[in-house]
Amino acid sequence: MGVANLSETTLRLLYLYLAECTLGIILFFVFRYFGILYRRRFLYTWALSWLAFTVYIAATCVVTAFFMQSQSTARLVVSTLAQMSCFLQIIWILRGAYELVTEKAFNRRKFKALLIVCFFLSLISVIAFSQTVEDSMLRYLLRVGSRTFVSGAGFMIAGIVVLQNKKFSRGFGQRILSITFILYSIYQLYYCLIVIINVCGTEMLVPNFYGVVDLLLISMMGMSMIMWLLEDERTRLDKANKELDRFLYSTSHDLRAPIASILGLTYLGKMEFEEERARTFMDMIEARVKKLDMVISDILSLSRSKKMDVKIEKINLKDLLDNSIADIKFNKGASAISLDYTNDPSHILASDFNQMKIVLNNLLANAVKYHNLDQPNPFIRVLFQRENDVVKIVIQDNGKGIAEANLPKIFEMFYRASLDTEGTGLGLYIVKEALSKIHGTIEVKSELGTGSTFTIILENA
């Protein structure tokens, strides 16, 4: 029979088969990609199951289009391929479920034995009752009934395994995937029931929406699988980040004690040594230990910023400035710089005090560190601006400034605009990270030799 002579119902069925083939190929590549990317063996196995599904549907499509009224050898070959591909899909689905639970590869010898059994069962189910027209209902039961029953049972087991799995994130994606597997199982078992009822002599038609449901469930499997993987990777990354934060905080905190001891010893050494050369060496040791202490202090500050929970409260900018100035007032050169800030009771913002203190501490410390103390009036100016719910805090200085070529990189970790400076390259990175926790941003304008202006922008403050 040619395709041109097919009925409208059969053509509609063929279009559904082609759509299912397309979805099967897409799911094969999706599962295979994530299986390789995340090194999950069970995903790669499930990818092969969707490749088998595609072959099964494609073979069924060929039988429907060309061999529906034929009992030729070609039909037997294609039907055997369809039957074997259907069974093979479920074997791979169950193998993937096994690998999901055990995180081990399935025994190769056992799998080869299953493939041989699968081939002979497929061949027998296709050849049986294929010689006479009178046996068409038994042939229908054996071929279609076995496919739907095996598919229903296989997806039901896989759905239960996914639902009860505890090795990966148990989020929304996992629940949707397991529910979709179970619904697809029920869908297949219902189809099997229709086959049995028809064989028993009671006519029961397949609902018209059946093909659409098939497409919908298969699409949901793909989307929920991706959601599950993304949720699982996010959970793993959050756990890794927390462990890394704890490690950094603990290590940095433990390192500061011996550094303080070394600094004390260098101070005593300079007092005891009379030779100028020996004192020079002690000064060099002290400078390098101080640099190491600065790096560790910045790492601790970054770790605290990441570990602290955000607590939004009303903050008076004057109180915030007083706290920050108390921390930096003994920095080298700080006493020679004037603070230009006009206090106003309206300078109130809603934000996290600790995160904002980290931001101001670093910006003010940088303004002191990179100032030009040789000019007549070195200053740091702080301005408060409010536009509805948006607050801008401007910190301006007339210090050394930053070259325009360096501006795009100054917020990167460990970036230093000049090798002659004593900074660690972490200060502005910490500022950016702290602001990201409170949904703030920062802008900078600077001119080398003239000064810099940093503008903190806080939404809903």
Side-chain angles (χ1 to χ4, degrees), residues 322-336 364-365 368:
D322 288 343
N323 267 271
S324 296
I325 292 168
D327 289 341
I328 66 167
K329 66 180 179 181
F330 296 112
N331 289 14
K332 184 180 177 181
S335 59
L364 293 174
V368 170

Side-chain angles (χ1 to χ4, degrees), residues 409-423:
K409 300 179 181 180
I410 61 173
F411 294 103
E412 294 178 5
M413 184 183 287
F414 296 118
Y415 180 78
R416 294 165 62 195
S418 173
L419 296 177
D420 298 331
T421 60
E422 59 180 12

Side-chain angles (χ1 to χ4, degrees), residues 278-297:
R279 289 186 176 185
T280 302
F281 285 138
M282 293 303 289
D283 286 338
M284 292 171 66
I285 293 171
E286 183 182 31
R288 280 154 181 76
V289 173
K290 283 184 176 178
K291 179 65 176 293
L292 179 59
D293 188 48
M294 287 173 58
V295 173
I296 293 173
S297 296

Side-chain angles (χ1 to χ4, degrees), residues 121 141 144 176 249 277 294 298 322 408:
L121 285 177
L141 174 63
V144 180
I176 294 297
Y249 184 81
R277 186 174 178 79
M294 287 173 58
D298 282 346
D322 288 343

